[in-house]
Amino acid sequence: KVIIMIVQVELRKIIIDERRQDQIIVLKEKNGERQFPIVIGFLEASSIQMKLAGLEAPRPMTHDLLISVIEGLGGKMEKLVIDKLVDNTFHAKLEIKMPDGQVKVIDTRPSDGIALTVRSNAPIFADEEVLKKATFFKT
């Protein structure tokens, strides 16, 4: 059996450049020095930034809708795990606890997963192997 080591990370910063399609978020090891960037789309970056700034859209945005659906079905966002880095593309899984105690694991882009975690206060984790491959500098 393979033992997967995960490390809690937190959103360190969002770099938004409205003249570019791709934006950058930086995740930092919660109790450590390592950090790494993830390139995400403008819409996802805007969704994350909007929620962090405390701004509410007049109607539910896609990420707000998804949290409402999860909670409306009795689920709870447990965590996001960034579990793979393949060809410079990050992969992630949402873990959602259902009312019966079962945990559903759902494939997601990290950007969408992070947009959901900022709405649900769920923690973010990264696989140790992802951290080893992706860390670009220490603070």
Side-chain angles (χ1 to χ4, degrees), residues 84-123:
K84 284 193 271 187
L85 177 56
V86 180
D87 298 327
N88 293 320
T89 299
F90 290 91
H91 296 249
K93 304 281 188 293
L94 285 175
E95 292 189 15
I96 300 171
K97 190 168 198 173
M98 302 309 291
D100 64 2
Q102 201 179 64
V103 175
K104 299 285 186 185
V105 178
I106 300 169
D107 189 34
T108 184
R109 296 182 305 174
S111 56
D112 290 322
I114 291 167
L116 295 174
T117 65
V118 298
R119 287 164 169 76
S120 63
N121 296 316

